[in-house]
Amino acid sequence: MSGGDRLVVGVDIGNSTTEACLAVLAADGDVRWLGTALTRTTGVKGTPASTEGALTAVRRALADGGRRAEELDVVLLNEATPVISGLAMETITETVITESTMIGHDPATPGGVGLGVGVTVSVADLGEHPGDEPAVVVVPRGWDFDDVAAALNAAVARGVPVVAAVLAGDDAVLVSNRLTQQMPVVDEVSAVEKVPLGMRAAVEVAGPGRTIRTLSNTYGIATVFDLDPDQTRQVSPVARALTGNRSAVVVRTPAGDVTDRRIPVGVLELRGAGRTVTVDVDAGAEAIMAALARVQPLEDAHGEPGTHVGGMLAAVRDTMADTLGGADPGDIAIRDVLAVDTFVPAEVRGGLAGEIALENAVGLAAMVRTSRSRMQAVADRVAESLTTATEIGGVEGEMAALGALTTPGVQAPVVVVDLGGGSTDAALLTADGTSTAVHVAGAGELVTKLIDAELALEDREVAELVKRWPLAKVESFFHVRHEDGTVQFFDEPLPAHVFARVVVLTAEGPVPIGTRHGLDHVRRVRREAKRRVFVVNTLRALRQVAPGGELRRLDFVVLLGGSALDFEIPDQIADALAGHGVVCGTGNVLGDQGPRNAVATGLVAAFAGGAG
Ligand code: ADP
Ligand code: MG
C-alpha cells in the first residue's frame, strides 16, 4: 500500500446476517470503497461462536475488493449490545364440544349441494323410517357406496323425504353420482358412530368455490333449529367455527353444547422506572401494548410462575442466559415486548371428525439486553486469525445512520429504521451529529412465525417462502394466475405436483403451499402479519426517537435491513407514514447495496471521520 493509506474492513454481526464492508482510507481522510460481503451469522450475535461468520464475511469482502488478508490494517467490529429476541405463542381460546354435537366438519370433497334439515337416522334403520319426517341419513363405516346409494334411492322411492347424508368413508361424490334425487352429502366423519340418532340435524354443502351461508350465520342456525334468544346466544361459537367452510353438519342434542372458552394464560408483569403494571395476557395484544405504554421505558417483564406466560418469558430468559455463556437468567432484563393478536387453527376438543376451529392466540416477542458484551472475545479471535488489529466501537443505530448517509439523496437529519430478523431498530441522527437509538422487539422472524401458525404450515422454510415471494394459482399445466390477477403462460409444462395448487413463485420456480386455503386467504394472512409486526413496530420506534414524540417532526426516514428487501413491507410503512407528512424510502447504501450493509459501512465512515 502507498503512503499513509490504510485498508480497513467494517463488520456488522447481526442476529441473522453478518455483513462486511472494505475500504481504503487515505491519509487526508478520503474513503475509497472497495468491496462488500454478506453471510449468515454463525451462532448467536456477539458470542464467540459468531467469530466464524465474521471471518467469512471479512474474507469475502477482501476477495470482492481484490485484496489479501495480509494487507489489512484494522477490522472494525460493531459493539453488539446483545439485543436478542425471543418468540412465543399461546392460544387463549379453546372451542370445546360437549356431548355429541358435531360442528365445523369440512371434508375436501363433499357431494351434492344445498341445505338439508331433518332427524338423524342410521342407514340400517332407513327401511322402517316413517314417511312423514325428513331424514338425515347416517352411514357407519363398512358400507359400500353402491349399497348406500341403493338404500337412499329405495327410501326416496317409498316417499321418505331423505334430505342429507353423513358418511364415514370418503365416497360422498361416488354416492352422490348414484342418487336419483340430489341432496347434500358430507363424508370423512371419522367418529360417525358417535353421531347421535333421532336428533335434529342440519347438513349444508356449498357449490364448488363457494362457502356455506346458513350454518355459518348465527340466525341461520336459529332459524333451522327454532332457537329462542338464549339458545341463539349459545350457538354463536358454532357459526363462527363454520365460517369459510364449504360444508358443515350441525347436530342438535339436548345437552350438547359448543363453548368458546377463554384459557387463562397468566398475568404479565411489566416493570418500568416509575411503576409496575400487570395485565392478563388473554386480554389480547391491544391491552398488553396499552399497559406497556404506561410503564415506558420498560426495565423488565415477568410472567406469573406456573402459567403459560410465565413459561414463555422464562424460556426466553433461559435461552439468552445459555447463549451468553452461562449468565444468570436473573441478570437478564427484558427491555421490550411486542404482543400480536393472531389465530391458529386447532382441532376442536370433543369433535367427531377432527373439526378445526380458529382459536385466538397471542404472539409475544421479547427483547433482552444484557450488560455483558462478549465482543472482545470475538475481536481477539478475529485478530488472531487474520493477524491484524481489531477495534470495537460505535452504537449500532448511529453506525446504521452513518451508513445510510451514503444513500444518494439522503442528508442529516435522518432517521433510519433497521428492519432485521429479531428486532426493529430506529436511530435519529441530527445535523450536528448527535444520535438517539432505540430497539423494539419483533421483526422478520415473528412475521415468518405468524404466517407459519396462521396457515398451519408447520414448516418454517415454506412460511419464509410465503413471506418473501408473491403467490400464484396454477390454473393449467401451461399457465398461472398471479396474485394481482394477471395471467402468465409457459412454453414448457409446469411440474405435475403444482397443478391446481396455490404456489409461491420463487426464483427457483413454483413451490406449492401445503394449505387448503385459497390464494386470497394466504395473501391476507401474509400482509396482515407484516403489517402487525412492521407497521406497528416502526411507528412505535419512530415515536421514541422523534422530537417530542411527534412523527410529523421527522423529515427523512430510511429503511434498512434484510426485511427492507421485502416486496411489500416498505410500501406498507410508507403508506402508514404518508399521513404524517414523512418522506420514507428504502436505503441504497453506497449507491448500490440497497438496504444492506449500512452498519458495516457506517463503522468505516466513523473510523475515517474520527481517526482518519
Ligand atoms: P439482522 O441484522 O438481525 O442480522 P437482517 O437485516 O439480515 O437481520 O434481516 C433478517 C430478516 O430479513 C429475516 O427475517 C429475513 O426473513 C428477512 N429477509 C431477508 N431477505 C428478505 C427478502 N428478500 N424479503 C423479505 N424478507 C427478507
Ligand atoms: Mg442488522
Side-chain angles (χ1 to χ4, degrees):
M1 306 211 67
S2 69
D5 284 1
R6 282 179 299 168
L7 187 65
V8 303
V9 62
V11 182
D12 167 28
I13 305 174
N15 273 320
S16 320
T17 314
T18 297
E19 299 171 335
C21 175
L22 182 75
V24 170
L25 308 186
D28 62 3
D30 200 46
V31 183
R32 195 150 52 87
W33 304 104
L34 295 182
T36 59
L38 183 152
T39 182
R40 219 183 162 76
T41 295
T42 50
V44 171
K45 142 183 187 175
T47 66
S50 59
T51 308
E52 202 187 309
L55 288 172
T56 307
V58 170
R59 293 202 173 100
R60 291 201 187 147
L62 284 164
D64 189 44
R67 297 301 182 107
R68 289 174 297 117
E70 298 77 63
E71 299 174 64
L72 263 181
D73 288 290
V74 61
V75 177
L76 308 166
L77 292 150
N78 60 324
E79 174 57 84
T81 340
V83 174
I84 309 173
S85 303
L87 285 179
M89 202 177 278
E90 282 294 341
T91 48
I92 56 171
T93 60
E94 183 186 30
T95 307
V96 184
I97 302 179
T98 54
E99 291 247 322
S100 299
T101 307
M102 182 166 73
I103 63 149
H105 182 43
D106 197 18
T109 48
V113 64
L115 174 72
V117 184
V119 164
T120 49
V121 181
S122 169
V123 67
D125 303 334
L126 199 53
E128 287 88 62
H129 189 72
D132 53 355
E133 198 167 26
V136 170
V137 180
V138 179
V139 183
R141 202 165 293 283
W143 277 67
D144 180 71
F145 58 84
D146 266 326
D147 299 338
V148 175
L152 296 177
N153 287 337
V156 168
R158 216 161 46 78
V160 176
V162 179
V163 294
V166 177
L167 317 181
D170 64 350
D171 33 21
V173 174
L174 294 175
V175 170
S176 270
N177 289 344
R178 287 162 176 76
L179 294 180
T180 50
Q181 180 190 297
Q182 279 311 303
M183 64 184 78
V185 182
V186 165
D187 60 3
E188 295 173 30
V189 178
S190 47
V192 76
E193 68 284 351
K194 289 198 200 143
V195 175
L197 299 175
M199 299 292 162
R200 283 185 72 70
V203 177
E204 185 175 7
V205 173
R210 295 179 180 268
T211 58
I212 55 167
R213 279 294 127 92
T214 306
L215 299 182
S216 57
N217 169 8
T218 303
Y219 305 118
I221 299 180
T223 311
V224 161
F225 292 121
D226 251 336
L227 304 182
D228 65 27
D230 265 348
Q231 293 167 325
T232 303
R233 217 186 306 277
Q234 281 172 14
V235 299
S236 87
V238 177
R240 200 179 66 103
L242 295 178
T243 306
N245 281 7
R246 202 190 136 195
S247 63
V249 182
V250 177
V251 184
R252 181 152 192 255
T253 56
D257 196 9
V258 179
T259 52
D260 201 2
R261 212 170 68 181
R262 284 195 100 69
I263 305 170
V265 196
V267 170
L268 181 64
E269 184 190 280
L270 301 167
R271 187 159 56 76
R275 57 161 145 187
T276 298
V277 165
T278 58
V279 59
D280 274 324
V281 172
D282 59 313
E286 202 177 316
I288 297 171
M289 296 315 281
L292 179 64
R294 283 188 279 137
V295 301
Q296 285 292 14
L298 185 69
E299 291 192 336
D300 203 2
H302 283 277
E304 200 179 340
T307 64
H308 287 298
V309 63
M312 275 158 92
L313 293 191
V316 170
R317 229 183 273 272
D318 284 350
T319 323
M320 295 314 136
D322 283 352
T323 50
L324 291 168
D328 178 356
D331 289 346
I332 293 177
I334 293 182
R335 302 305 294 273
D336 187 49
V337 291
L338 172 69
V340 179
D341 283 326
T342 171
F343 47 84
V344 288
E347 192 160 316
V348 174
R349 193 137 66 81
L352 296 190
E355 296 100 305
I356 301 288
L358 283 183
E359 304 293 2
N360 295 298
V362 173
L364 270 190
M367 202 186 63
V368 161
R369 204 178 304 180
T370 71
S371 48
R372 293 184 43 175
S373 166
R374 302 215 288 155
M375 273 312 282
Q376 193 55 53
V378 178
D380 292 345
R381 288 173 189 220
V382 169
E384 196 184 328
S385 299
L386 298 172
T387 50
T388 177
T390 53
E391 248 179 58
I392 304 173
V395 177
E396 209 168 287
E398 188 179 328
M399 296 304 116
L402 284 176
L405 287 178
T406 65
T407 294
V410 172
Q411 188 188 355
V414 65
V415 177
V416 296
V417 186
D418 186 344
L419 312 169
S423 68
T424 302
D425 310 327
L428 168 73
L429 186 68
T430 61
D432 61 22
T434 57
S435 74
T436 329
V438 297
H439 308 272
V440 298
E445 283 302 316
L446 180 57
V447 174
T448 304
K449 186 159 182 149
L450 289 172
I451 292 172
D452 194 14
E454 294 189 4
L455 296 176
L457 299 173
E458 284 169 23
D459 187 333
R460 201 202 153 274
E461 298 306 312
V462 173
E464 183 75 18
L465 294 179
V466 170
K467 177 174 88 172
R468 290 196 192 192
W469 302 92
L471 299 163
K473 178 78 191 267
V474 178
E475 296 190 331
S476 80
F477 283 117
F478 291 97
H479 84 280
V480 303
R481 186 175 296 274
H482 292 282
E483 65 174 63
D484 67 357
T486 57
V487 172
Q488 182 182 359
F489 290 91
F490 297 86
D491 295 331
E492 296 295 316
L494 291 157
H497 71 277
V498 302
F499 181 66
R501 301 286 296 272
V502 175
V503 296
V504 271
L505 293 171
T506 73
E508 276 83 48
V511 175
I513 307 170
T515 175
R516 274 164 65 173
H517 293 293
L519 184 149
D520 288 341
H521 180 86
V522 177
R523 179 171 187 270
R524 202 172 330 115
V525 164
R526 181 194 75 209
R527 292 182 59 86
E528 268 303 293
K530 290 175 179 177
R531 197 189 57 75
R532 281 177 294 169
V533 173
F534 281 116
V535 173
V536 168
N537 263 353
T538 301
L539 292 177
R540 231 154 53 91
L542 288 180
R543 285 205 175 91
Q544 291 179 50
V545 296
E550 293 179 55
L551 295 182
R552 61 175 179 80
R553 290 174 63 185
L554 300 173
D555 299 311
F556 293 100
V557 172
V558 180
L559 304 179
L560 302 170
S563 299
L565 291 168
D566 189 88
F567 68 99
E568 56 197 350
I569 291 170
D571 292 348
Q572 289 180 333
I573 293 173
D575 282 352
L577 289 177
H580 300 275
V582 177
V583 177
C584 175
T586 303
N588 191 13
V589 175
L590 297 174
D592 63 6
Q593 298 289 306
R596 286 283 189 195
N597 237 300
V599 173
T601 301
L603 282 167
V604 174
F607 184 79

